[in-house]
Amino acid sequence: MIQDSAPLELDDAFMQDPHSVYTRLNAEGSAHRVMMPAGVPVCGGLPVWLITGYEEVRSALADPRLSTDLNRTDRLFAQNEPDRNKRGAFSSALATHMLHSDPPDHTRLRKLVNKAFTSRAIEKLRPEIEQITGELLAALPDDDTVDLLDAFAFPLPIRVICLLLGVPLEEQENFKSWSKALVSGDSPAATAAASTAMIEYLGELIERKRRTPTDDVLAALVSARDVDDRLTETELVSMAFLLFIGGHETTVNTLGNGTLHLMRNLDQWEALRQDRALLPGAVEEFLRLESPLKHATFRCATEDLRIGDTEIPAGDFVLLALASANRDPERFGDPHTLDVRRPTGGHVAFGHGIHYCLGAPLARMEAQVAFGALLDTFPAMRLAIDPDDMRWRTSTLIRGLHSLPVRLNRP
């Protein structure tokens, strides 16, 4: 069937409590006509198909008829909203990367960075990740209340990804504000300003690495551009951007969301304190329960296709609700409950198919190290405010808190 009723707007109420919306929609079917919120940069006001069921989402993630190609989606954006000048710089200079491409370009771009993010390569970083984690926890203030996001969850993955990409420590301060503006900016103007600043910085950093080669992932990409001509200059800047943003946003929100749910379920916190062997599975449960990405990146149908009992016309936008799939009661028993002993596997927090998150091994390691260190250092940590007073960032992509006030209750 093709739905013809007025689409539901994904407004601020949805941003603050998407799970109740997903639960209601999923009971009605797997594909739903919705409207992107009017104030969101790039795609505000656009009608899309929201896919909510686990099996349907997982299948769609690997469906080649759902394209992520930037040129295709940009043409459709332009048809829906002809005045795209507020988006132009972001689209052309920062978005030409593997998440916005189909094979064979996707295959070519992913091969350039695959080796740096294998489980074996990431395991070699463990001592440095543990050192950074320890330094950040030791530097936490003795105040009664500390914003754990600002003081720990944001700087940890930023420092780690900048280590991989060869960004000097003194130049890392701006990445948090740039990332927030680009992923969940308050306005198109804020997004444009952040994208311009990041384009300028990345261009300058790339030129430095051309003049003085270093031993890091970004320098390897520069060499691939200059020596082997395996990517364009625009692709080089865009890949650097993707690695910066993707390399820390997932981890930031895994740490923040996982901590919030542990503080709301202190029996689970105590279980981890008593048995650290539960940590790897617990991280998978954090990813499942409060996925750091609500939705996968935009896709558009290249031909008519059926999802569930709904016909999706060619040319329509499709948004795959990872967070909804991960709480589908048809796939996960008692899906809204945190259970650090839940059998691992099956969630789609990192996607599925050719766009499966390249940085998944890094995010998992950082989360395991970070939660282990928090349990060791602040075993009596508690939330400093009522969890119902927490505010979530306005984003159609990520699921992350604005802040996470805690009392460390140092031993």
Side-chain angles (χ1 to χ4, degrees):
M1 66 178 181
I2 296 179
Q3 298 181 5
D4 55 5
S5 57
L8 168 73
E9 182 178 353
L10 303 182
D11 56 12
D12 184 66
F14 168 79
M15 300 296 174
Q16 299 309 313
D17 183 18
H19 298 295
S20 63
V21 177
Y22 292 143
T23 297
R24 175 168 57 83
L25 292 178
N26 212 22
E28 300 170 358
S30 297
H32 316 272
R33 200 65 167 156
V34 300
M35 186 79 70
M36 302 301 285
V40 172
V42 179
C43 57
L46 290 177
V48 303
W49 291 99
L50 182 69
I51 312 303
T52 56
Y54 176 86
E55 293 296 339
E56 291 79 6
V57 167
R58 193 172 189 275
S59 176
L61 284 166
D63 193 329
R65 297 172 298 175
L66 292 172
S67 171
T68 65
D69 181 74
L70 180 67
N71 293 325
R72 188 189 304 272
T73 54
D74 257 3
R75 287 195 299 271
L76 291 174
F77 275 130
Q79 292 171 12
N80 283 276
E81 185 180 340
D83 182 13
R84 306 307 297 173
N85 55 1
K86 292 182 180 179
R87 182 176 183 261
F90 178 84
S91 174
S92 61
L94 293 181
T96 310
H97 50 66
M98 58 190 176
L99 277 187
H100 290 155
S101 62
D102 299 330
D105 284 336
H106 173 271
T107 308
R108 169 178 57 88
L109 293 171
R110 187 164 179 126
K111 281 183 177 179
L112 292 174
V113 289
N114 254 343
K115 290 183 180 179
F117 290 91
T118 63
S119 296
R120 179 176 297 181
I122 295 304
E123 184 60 35
K124 294 178 180 178
L125 294 173
R126 183 180 292 273
E128 290 170 290
I129 293 174
E130 290 174 343
Q131 179 181 344
I132 293 170
T133 299
E135 291 172 356
L136 289 171
L137 292 182
L140 290 180
D142 290 325
D143 301 344
D144 288 342
T145 300
V146 173
D147 181 354
L148 200 66
L149 277 185
D150 186 64
F152 180 62
F154 264 108
L156 171 59
I158 287 176
R159 285 184 58 178
V160 171
I161 196 62
C162 285
L163 172 70
L164 268 174
L165 297 174
V167 178
L169 183 61
E170 63 273 14
E171 297 177 13
Q172 298 173 14
E173 184 61 31
N174 288 324
F175 282 100
K176 181 171 69 175
S177 60
W178 288 341
S179 177
K180 284 185 175 180
L182 290 167
V183 175
S184 55
D186 294 330
S187 67
T191 301
S195 64
T196 298
M198 200 159 195
I199 291 166
E200 291 176 354
Y201 174 78
L202 291 176
E204 192 274 334
L205 180 62
I206 287 168
E207 286 305 313
R208 268 190 278 159
K209 291 185 180 294
R210 282 196 170 106
R211 294 192 300 268
T212 309
T214 50
D215 184 17
D216 53 65
V217 174
L218 184 54
L221 287 174
V222 172
S223 177
R225 159 65 179 157
D226 296 348
V227 178
D228 299 326
D229 197 28
R230 286 184 286 170
L231 71 170
T232 68
E233 191 71 15
T234 298
E235 288 173 337
L236 174 59
V237 174
S238 293
M239 284 287 283
F241 163 76
L242 174 63
L243 294 174
F244 278 121
I245 298 298
H248 81 269
E249 273 290 350
T250 298
T251 306
V252 166
N253 299 317
T254 300
L255 296 180
N257 300 350
T259 300
L260 172 61
H261 283 286
L262 284 173
M263 295 294 95
R264 299 185 74 167
N265 299 273
L266 291 175
D267 61 319
Q268 302 295 291
W269 174 261
E270 289 301 319
L272 292 177
R273 284 190 59 208
Q274 297 297 322
D275 185 1
R276 298 308 167 76
L278 294 173
L279 260 178
V283 169
E284 301 305 312
E285 176 68 345
F286 304 150
L287 290 163
R288 182 203 67 80
L289 182 67
E290 202 70 76
S291 305
L293 300 181
K294 288 199 294 286
H295 306 127
T297 50
F298 268 113
R299 283 154 167 80
C300 65
T302 60
E303 60 184 78
D304 293 349
L305 70 152
R306 177 181 291 271
I307 297 181
D309 62 352
T310 301
E311 295 288 341
I312 308 293
D316 276 12
F317 284 112
V318 176
L319 198 59
L320 306 177
L322 306 177
S324 175
N326 285 337
R327 292 198 186 190
D328 187 339
E330 295 295 319
R331 176 59 179 81
F332 302 98
D334 200 8
H336 302 295
T337 298
L338 176 68
D339 181 1
V340 297
R341 294 184 174 85
R342 186 188 297 270
T344 60
H347 70 72
V348 291
F350 289 128
H352 175 64
I354 65 170
H355 291 291
Y356 182 81
C357 179
L358 183 73
L362 179 60
R364 285 185 165 108
M365 175 182 286
E366 288 182 78
Q368 290 174 27
V369 170
F371 280 110
L374 284 171
L375 289 158
D376 286 338
T377 312
F378 306 114
M381 183 174 70
R382 298 292 185 268
L383 285 178
I385 65 173
D386 188 320
D388 292 335
D389 292 335
M390 298 282 192
R391 290 285 298 175
W392 297 87
R393 291 161 64 186
T394 300
S395 171
T396 55
L397 179 64
I398 66 102
R399 174 69 168 167
L401 293 160
H402 278 288
S403 63
L404 182 58
V406 298
R407 290 189 296 273
L408 298 176
N409 296 326
R410 296 175 183 271

